[in-house]
Amino acid sequence: RAKAKSRGTISIYEPEMDQQIRDRRVLHQDLSLAIKNGELSLHYQPQAMARQTVASSEVIGFEALARWLHPVRGFVPPSDFIPLAEESGLIVEMGEWILREACREAASWPMPLQIAVNLSPAQFMHGDVVGVVHSILLETGLSPGRLELEITEGVLIEDFDRGLALLRRLKALGVRVSMDDFGSGYSSLSYLQAFPFDKIKIDRAFVINLGHNPQSAAIIRAVIGLGHGLEMSIVAEGVETQEQLGFLADEGCDSVQGYFLGKPLPIGQYAALVGRNSGNAIEPARKTG
Ligand code: C2E
Ligand code: MG
Ligand code: MG
Ligand code: MG
């Protein structure tokens, strides 16, 4: 901790803090090489229709989730390196790589399967996101209707007018936009009314509490009703149990995502679902029913 030892003193030379800054700087340099060195990859997590059983919950697409395998540190989670990439502006290049990779992958899947890609705040607000999406769609041949872009509501707070203009231009390309982690941050009902989202992703926190906390059930029910009233589709994140799946299916939630249906894995592990010969791959992690 870089806490002042004596009253009124802010000790900026704490060795530990120094180390932290050095660590960060090094990690930062490493991150700028990560794409070049092929250390970045994508895992894919299935999104399925919300039905009573896993077997009947048909997979409709996947969310692409970035992974960084650092040569020394090993696996660095996206919650650590995405913010770092944001601060440094590296996110623009990295986000473009992620989007291209995900679209190229999805273009090879059987027709109805969709791909969802996360856009970070800086990527959304500061890069030429519309131009990038447009050119990647052309380049990969992915039909725009199969691409969904996930944006957290916090992104839009920064600049309401610009946010709205960008969402409209993205939608004009034919892609869909979803509000990620709904309910986790600055969620406001006025956002749902103001911004043309196609889908709401209910934050994992509400799903976790199902069965323990009657308020969570009430909130999920309300969000489903609200979203449907606004002609948005609803997906619940973080579904880990049969009870949660059953509840969401009963309540008319449109789709589900979570470990109970399938973990984020290299696409080879879902070969059967994406119509690919699995070769010598390991057993698919999810039964296709
Ligand atoms: P997110 O977009 O909300 O992604 C869902 C996160 O929940 C993923 O974490 C996923 O692995 C995790 N998850 C899914 N199902 C379950 C479950 O049943 N239980 C639990 N406990 N967790 C579950 P992950 O992959 O660590 O990503 C964390 C966040 O990092 C993402 O949250 C997203 O905000 C960001 N992120 C990941 N990949 C990218 C990317 O390519 N670009 C950008 N901009 N952000 C990314
Ligand atoms: Mg997401
Ligand atoms: Mg989310
Ligand atoms: Mg999340």
Side-chain angles (χ1 to χ4, degrees):
R1 281 289 149 82
K3 216 173 172 183
K5 275 178 194 145
S6 54
R7 212 154 29 105
T9 316
I10 297 164
S11 143
I12 52 172
Y13 292 117
E14 283 285 342
E16 252 179 71
M17 191 176 171
D18 234 28
Q19 186 58 46
Q20 268 181 24
I21 291 170
R22 258 202 308 276
D23 271 7
R24 228 172 143 66
R25 202 168 289 150
V26 171
L27 199 58
H28 202 252
Q29 286 160 3
D30 291 354
L31 188 57
S32 64
L33 290 170
I35 300 177
K36 215 170 292 166
N37 295 346
E39 294 161 10
L40 216 59
S41 66
L42 296 182
H43 279 187
Y44 295 84
Q45 184 176 35
Q47 297 184 329
M49 316 258 272
R51 297 289 180 265
Q52 285 297 332
T53 64
V54 173
S56 56
S57 300
E58 188 191 336
V59 171
I60 51 182
F62 292 84
E63 178 176 3
L65 293 157
R67 298 292 180 258
W68 180 18
L69 190 58
H70 186 281
V72 178
R73 289 168 200 250
F75 168 70
V76 182
S79 52
D80 285 1
F81 73 83
I82 298 283
L84 200 61
E86 286 249 305
E87 285 166 28
S88 60
L90 270 174
I91 193 67
V92 175
E93 186 193 349
M94 184 175 286
E96 199 172 323
W97 183 89
I98 291 166
L99 189 66
R100 180 175 293 109
E101 182 67 19
C103 289
R104 186 167 42 208
E105 174 57 48
S108 76
W109 297 345
M111 207 37 181
L113 284 179
Q114 301 177 353
I115 180 76
V117 182
N118 295 282
L119 291 186
S120 77
Q123 199 184 350
F124 187 74
M125 289 309 255
H126 305 300
D128 169 25
V129 67
V130 181
V132 167
V133 170
H134 184 57
S135 63
I136 288 177
L137 286 170
L138 291 176
E139 181 189 327
T140 59
L142 183 72
S143 148
R146 296 174 67 192
L147 175 62
E148 182 173 294
L149 299 170
E150 299 192 358
I151 298 157
T152 52
E153 58 209 335
V155 169
L156 302 164
I157 288 176
E158 209 182 299
D159 186 340
F160 187 102
D161 295 334
R162 183 173 153 79
L164 181 57
L166 284 174
L167 280 191
R168 286 184 173 151
R169 289 174 58 207
L170 284 170
K171 293 200 54 160
L173 294 178
V175 305
R176 278 161 305 108
V177 286
S178 60
M179 181 182 271
D180 204 352
D181 302 339
F182 184 74
S184 68
Y186 311 88
S187 297
S188 141
L189 296 185
S190 63
Y191 275 78
L192 288 182
Q193 191 180 26
F195 295 104
F197 284 101
D198 299 283
K199 189 188 267 186
I200 297 172
K201 298 193 76 174
I202 300 179
D203 194 69
R204 190 154 58 84
F206 300 105
V207 177
I208 290 172
N209 286 322
L210 273 176
H212 312 294
N213 180 336
Q215 285 93 332
S216 286
I219 288 171
I220 289 179
R221 222 175 256 131
V223 173
I224 293 171
L226 179 72
H228 284 169
L230 295 168
E231 297 185 336
M232 295 175 186
S233 130
I234 313 292
V235 55
E237 300 185 315
V239 177
E240 295 185 358
T241 69
Q242 175 60 58
E243 290 66 34
Q244 293 164 352
L245 178 62
F247 173 85
L248 292 160
D250 278 343
E251 294 300 327
C253 188
D254 300 286
S255 47
V256 282
Q257 184 179 347
Y259 296 169
F260 191 60
L261 296 117
K263 291 197 169 183
L265 291 169
I267 199 64
Q269 305 263 342
Y270 290 113
L273 286 173
V274 298
R276 187 161 313 163
N277 191 335
S278 59
N280 61 356
I282 314 161
E283 282 282 282
R286 179 186 182 280
K287 293 191 198 82
T288 48

